[in-house]
Amino acid sequence: MANIAGGRLQQLRREKGLTGIELGKILGVSKQTISCWETGKIEMDYSILNKLADYFHVSIDYLLGRSNERNLDLSRATNIDGWQTVPVYKQISCGEGCFCDDEIIDYVAVPSNIVRTKDCFAVPANGDSMINIGINDGDTLIFKKTEAYEDNDIVAVCIDTEEIALCKRVKVVNEDSILLMSENNKYSPILIDKNKKARVIGKLVYSIKKF
């Protein structure tokens, strides 16, 4: 597996015009690690394979030599070697908190031991309000569909004054009110009480970094 995967990694890297140093910087590893992957001295684990598949826009099966088809139609896939596919929505409308198929912009593969496709959704992170916990603009956030939450959960929430769902941390104040917290000090907490309504539509369970 390692030799096939390494050969295909080297081919994809060269096609993109990247040096080992450049690809290493993108993935956060050394050029020596890239070289070891390409020569088969070190096997790539599934987290690395997933990152490479996302970056080069190919399937993991292609990287491993199990298929000669580079691109996998994730919209038709359900479970691939322990991975599940989750629909990525452009945004979630807060008017109804609805999930419309025509708003699906992509599909992502995530570990099946973490999520189940039928009760999860994904949206791109927008802005810098959660950067202190490593959520950056453009990252893909996977939420489990639920209206339940506990203190300190990170949730997707619809607020009556916003048009789209927000990603915030919940801090329970008392049984009648909560604070929706950003993870960036330049944003003030949002108080939710009887005078300002909100509805949680999902709990964060996984995230995929944008490269």
Side-chain angles (χ1 to χ4, degrees):
M1 181 182 76
N3 289 338
I4 296 175
R8 292 198 164 175
L9 169 60
Q10 185 179 73
Q11 178 185 3
L12 291 166
R13 175 178 62 77
R14 289 177 174 174
E15 287 177 0
K16 212 168 183 67
L18 295 172
T19 65
I21 293 175
E22 290 169 334
L23 182 58
K25 287 181 178 179
I26 292 169
L27 296 174
V29 300
S30 68
K31 67 176 182 179
Q32 289 82 7
T33 298
I34 299 294
S35 177
C36 286
W37 287 341
E38 292 182 349
T39 58
K41 292 180 180 178
I42 298 176
E43 282 197 12
M44 292 172 275
D45 62 30
Y46 271 90
S47 66
I48 291 298
L49 288 168
N50 194 48
K51 290 177 181 179
L52 290 170
D54 285 344
Y55 181 75
F56 289 112
H57 302 293
V58 298
S59 69
I60 291 177
D61 276 352
Y62 176 78
L63 283 172
L64 294 178
R66 295 192 296 233
S67 171
N68 290 323
E69 294 292 331
R70 290 195 175 196
N71 298 315
L72 180 66
D73 184 0
L74 289 177
S75 66
R76 297 181 181 179
T78 55
N79 193 318
I80 307 164
D81 291 334
W83 297 79
Q84 291 280 352
T85 57
V86 174
V88 182
Y89 293 85
K90 180 179 180 181
Q91 61 186 33
I92 305 299
S93 169
C94 277
E96 298 178 0
C98 60
F99 301 85
C100 302
D101 287 346
D102 58 3
E103 288 295 317
I104 294 175
I105 58 173
D106 202 356
Y107 289 81
V108 292
V110 294
S112 56
N113 64 327
I114 295 176
V115 305
R116 296 193 303 275
T117 303
K118 65 181 181 180
D119 64 359
C120 286
F121 65 94
V123 290
N126 183 15
D128 62 355
S129 67
M130 303 298 283
I131 59 172
N132 289 346
I133 56 171
I135 295 176
N136 298 299
D137 187 55
D139 290 351
T140 301
L141 307 180
I142 292 90
F143 294 89
K144 178 181 179 180
K145 292 181 183 178
T146 181
E147 294 185 3
Y149 61 85
E150 295 180 356
D151 186 51
N152 216 40
D153 280 348
I154 297 173
V155 300
V157 57
C158 287
I159 305 174
D160 57 10
T161 56
E162 301 288 339
E163 293 183 356
I164 61 174
L166 305 176
C167 178
K168 299 293 178 185
R169 186 183 295 279
V170 174
K171 297 299 290 183
V172 176
V173 178
N174 54 49
E175 62 182 23
D176 298 318
S177 59
I178 61 172
L179 287 174
L180 298 177
M181 311 290 294
S182 297
E183 293 290 344
N184 185 332
N185 292 336
K186 75 178 184 180
Y187 297 101
S188 299
I190 301 170
L191 176 64
I192 302 298
D193 56 18
K194 63 181 180 181
N195 296 315
K196 190 170 188 177
K197 303 299 182 182
R199 181 163 65 92
V200 170
I201 59 173
K203 177 180 176 180
L204 186 69
V205 293
Y206 196 70
S207 65
I208 300 172
K209 303 298 293 181
K210 178 183 178 181
F211 293 104

